[in-house]
Amino acid sequence: MTRWALCLLLLAVGLTEGAAQDQLLEQAAGRYAILPENSEIAFHVPAIAGRGIQGRFTDFDGQFVIDRRDVARSEVAIAIRPGSAATGQERVDRFVRGPSVFDAERYPEATFRSTAVARTGPQTAIVEGVLTARGVSRPIRLTATLLSLRGRDAAFEVAGELPRSWFGMQAGVPLYRDLVRLSVIVTGRRR
Amino acid sequence: MLRNTRDGYGLVAIAFHWTIAALFVVQAGLGWRMSDMEDSLLKFSLYQWHKSFGLLILVLALMRLGWRLANPVPALPDTLRPWEKRAARATHYLLYGGLIIVPLFGWAVVSASPLDVPTLAFYLVYVPHLPVPVGEAAEATFAAIHGTLATIVAAVALLHIAAALRHHFWLGDDVLRRMLRPLAARRRPADSPAREGAPLD
């Protein structure tokens, strides 16, 4: 008898959660343009000691689509101008923007285009996609968390780690790790 | 053979002298070449090598100072006038001091730099920063001192080379020769009975 009750309870919880998810999705569905002024694309390259290299891109744009019925059909595309990389240190900026790392003159744009979105929780998803930087395209995986839905604006926190050497940007290894951590906040406004 | 005597340098002192001399030439060349380069991967690499060689010079110079303190110092030729002996000794003190102080100021530059570039000497040994104030101004100050002192040490080294050549070619004494081979090795042909008639110096 107790077993039946427990099953029913679990079913009820499952249903409510599903309903809540769908409600959230319904509310968030739409086509969004990314608002750069309310977004941030930060990167961190850890070092064997000290702070490593921390910075952000100030020039980027993009859009995302949240599908009304199926999260998996959502999409995101972002274009970043790596010439806007800023670390707070002029010498590091020149180095990072220059031919040693991004080579922004030859490769003025880096892009991310999603290929698959999988929901992992009420407000979280894994976004797989192709990152193209310095002329190299590689599949990468990012995690996304819904931060807020307010009016026409939706904000997500996106994070991921990838080897710099994938894109020929292993400058400074082994003093600096062959790794870049991306931490992104994207705010989109529904069109 | 390994240790110094009052008459000549041992093998260890000779090895220290020429190893540090070679490293100093490489180091001065690197330092002079890299400082006005554009920011690039090559410049970054050259800085890492300069840091590595500098720390190696510092370690060797300290070991060399210890060796010198633990060994007799070969006497200068009696043919030298007092001012020449004083000048020779002053030059040696300046070189010893410079080979320790210049790398320390270089280390201070790295430690003061807000770039916070870690040091992995020869890509093998992690070397922490010195406890110095961090900032653009501190970095620039240490860099100016480092560069000026390095230039002075290079000038003193040139004076030292000129003096060695003067001893060898002009004064005809063994001051340069005794830094090329240990005394025992130089004496051997003279001591050998097979070479009768060789002058005993």
Side-chain angles (χ1 to χ4, degrees):
Chain A
M1 193 62 200
T2 30
R3 192 177 292 175
W4 275 108
L6 193 63
C7 281
L8 278 171
L9 184 68
L10 284 174
L11 189 65
V13 169
L15 282 172
T16 350
E17 218 170 63
Q21 281 182 22
D22 288 345
Q23 200 185 342
L24 195 65
L25 195 60
E26 188 88 10
Q27 196 188 336
R31 302 180 76 84
Y32 292 80
I34 290 171
L35 301 172
E37 63 275 19
N38 295 337
S39 303
E40 181 179 276
I41 301 181
F43 58 86
H44 178 210
V45 175
I48 55 164
R51 300 182 306 273
I53 305 287
Q54 298 178 44
R56 64 197 59 198
F57 301 103
T58 54
D59 185 9
F60 56 88
D61 53 53
Q63 56 279 324
F64 55 88
V65 180
I66 300 174
D67 191 89
R68 188 171 300 276
R69 273 178 289 279
D70 186 3
V71 176
R73 290 174 60 190
S74 301
E75 287 170 14
V76 54
I78 297 183
I80 299 167
R81 262 69 67 184
S84 70
T87 62
Q89 287 293 331
E90 209 182 301
R91 281 174 285 176
V92 178
D93 291 352
R94 274 200 302 273
F95 187 83
V96 167
R97 296 170 186 173
S100 310
V101 185
F102 282 109
D103 202 358
E105 214 165 282
R106 278 182 68 191
Y107 306 101
E109 203 161 81
T111 58
F112 175 78
R113 206 169 286 278
S114 68
T115 52
V117 176
R119 200 165 184 177
T120 52
Q123 314 203 10
T124 56
I126 287 178
V127 180
E128 289 179 352
V130 175
L131 179 65
T132 302
R134 215 190 148 110
V136 181
S137 297
R138 283 273 197 162
I140 66 162
R141 175 186 284 231
L142 304 167
T143 59
T145 307
L146 177 66
L147 289 180
S148 69
L149 273 175
R150 219 174 288 135
R152 290 163 61 205
D153 293 355
F156 291 89
E157 186 175 25
V158 181
E161 291 189 0
L162 36 134
R164 296 188 284 132
S165 53
W166 279 5
F167 304 92
M169 297 186 198
Q170 63 273 34
V173 173
L175 301 184
Y176 296 89
R177 287 178 60 195
D178 179 16
L179 176 81
V180 59
R181 294 201 179 108
L182 298 172
S183 49
V184 179
I185 290 176
V186 275
T187 303
R189 179 155 293 170
R190 206 172 334 191
R191 285 189 277 216
Chain B
M1 188 78 167
L2 289 180
R3 289 178 58 84
N4 297 352
T5 63
R6 282 301 287 172
D7 300 319
Y9 289 102
L11 208 53
V12 175
I14 292 175
F16 270 131
H17 176 271
W18 292 107
T19 307
I20 292 175
L23 287 171
F24 183 77
V25 170
V26 171
Q27 190 64 344
L30 274 174
W32 177 69
R33 182 72 189 80
M34 70 189 197
S35 49
D36 56 353
M37 274 175 89
E38 258 185 55
D39 291 314
S40 66
L41 215 48
L42 177 64
K43 179 174 184 167
F44 182 82
S45 283
L46 293 183
Y47 266 83
Q48 304 320 310
W49 285 111
H50 187 77
K51 287 158 69 179
S52 302
F53 282 123
L55 287 164
L56 181 59
I57 290 175
L58 176 62
V59 169
L60 289 177
L62 288 170
M63 288 168 63
R64 187 182 178 191
L65 181 64
W67 185 255
R68 171 156 177 141
L69 294 175
N71 272 264
V73 180
L76 291 164
D78 289 330
T79 47
L80 292 190
R81 275 162 287 183
W83 76 264
E84 287 175 312
K85 289 189 178 180
R86 274 200 302 275
R89 246 176 256 125
T91 308
H92 296 161
Y93 286 141
L94 282 174
L95 288 175
Y96 269 87
L99 289 169
I100 292 165
I101 289 167
V102 173
L104 282 175
F105 272 101
W107 193 354
V109 176
V110 174
S111 309
S113 171
L115 304 188
D116 191 22
V117 179
T119 300
L120 194 61
F122 297 100
Y123 296 102
L124 287 173
V125 184
Y126 170 66
V127 180
H129 291 327
L130 291 172
V132 293
V134 176
E136 300 267 354
E139 182 190 4
T141 306
F142 286 129
I145 297 172
H146 175 66
T148 307
L149 289 180
T151 310
I152 293 172
V153 173
V156 175
L158 286 177
L159 185 70
H160 173 70
I161 292 166
L165 294 175
R166 172 173 174 262
H167 279 283
H168 189 74
F169 292 108
W170 190 350
L171 302 177
D173 57 33
D174 68 347
V175 161
L176 175 60
R177 243 172 304 152
R178 68 186 190 182
M179 194 40 101
L180 292 170
R181 300 181 75 186
L183 188 65
R186 278 184 290 133
R187 279 254 174 91
R188 200 166 295 138
D191 293 343
S192 149
R195 305 222 18 209
E196 267 176 348
L200 291 171
D201 56 331

